[in-house]
Amino acid sequence: MSARGSVDGLASSHPLGGQLPAVYADDDFAQRFVEGLDVVLAPLFNVLDCLEAYFDPAIAPEDFVDWLTSWVGTELDGTEPLEIRRHAVATAVSLHRVRGTAEGLSRAVELAFGVRPEISESGGATWSARPLGPFPGDAKPSLRVTLKVSDPSTVDHHRLEAVVAAARPAHLPFTAEVSARKTLTPEGN
């Protein structure tokens, strides 16, 4: 639902009455007619005068932030608190820079669920002074993302899979799982 509309007492920043040809300057009907249009146009002029603020996620109206989240390609579903949605829009560019990397995947999952996941992958990189050295990593590509939370039943597994699928390297098959975080007892066990 939009937060914008007519506001009681909002005057137009560009009243039409003064812009009419001189012949209508003293015409009471014409002036009252365009005053009615001023009431309709005032919110539009107000939005245009403040347009820069709509694109600042820190101060944009909530419904506009929701639109911006889809516009910049965040991995949110709209149920997150407003502050997380604002943060997602503000950091979208930096997150897109690392998209498809372990860091980007980790940050996307953490943004969506508030918990940094454990990520293990089959790839690797190495350096060798001799040619034909062994290749790093596993021959079969794989990616495992584990989200450890206090109560696994509170995490939507399908949502986790969707976030991982969107942020992972495109060629890499994956598994996403949720497990219980181990808590230490007072004895340290």
Side-chain angles (χ1 to χ4, degrees), residues 22-100:
V23 71
Y24 297 110
D26 293 329
D27 186 339
D28 184 54
F29 174 76
Q31 292 295 321
R32 284 186 291 124
F33 181 76
V34 294
E35 281 179 18
L37 294 175
D38 285 339
V39 172
V40 174
L41 294 174
L44 297 174
F45 288 137
N46 188 42
V47 168
L48 291 174
D49 289 343
C50 303
L51 191 59
E52 181 179 307
Y54 280 82
F55 293 99
D56 182 349
I59 58 176
E62 183 173 354
D63 63 320
F64 205 81
V65 170
D66 292 337
W67 180 74
L68 286 174
T69 61
S70 66
W71 195 41
V72 298
T74 63
E75 307 300 336
L76 303 178
D77 64 0
T79 61
E80 296 83 1
L82 178 60
E83 288 310 311
I84 289 177
R85 289 179 279 158
R86 289 185 190 280
H87 178 70
V89 172
T91 59
V93 171
S94 67
L95 194 55
H96 286 308
R97 280 190 193 119
V98 293
R99 189 181 193 108

Side-chain angles (χ1 to χ4, degrees), residues 104-183:
L105 175 59
S106 179
R107 286 174 52 190
V109 171
E110 184 176 15
L111 182 63
F113 295 97
V115 178
R116 197 151 186 96
E118 292 179 4
I119 298 174
S120 60
E121 56 183 314
S122 60
T126 189
W127 177 88
S128 175
R130 298 175 43 206
L132 303 176
F135 287 108
D138 298 329
K140 183 179 178 188
S142 66
L143 172 68
R144 166 165 281 168
V145 177
T146 305
L147 194 61
K148 293 188 176 185
V149 294
S150 300
D151 184 7
S153 65
T154 62
V155 175
D156 181 358
H157 191 268
H158 295 291
R159 174 86 179 108
L160 176 61
E161 285 186 345
V163 170
V164 172
R168 70 184 163 98
H171 68 284
L172 207 52
F174 72 93
T175 55
E177 57 189 26
V178 180
S179 65
R181 182 183 322 139
K182 293 181 182 177
T183 57

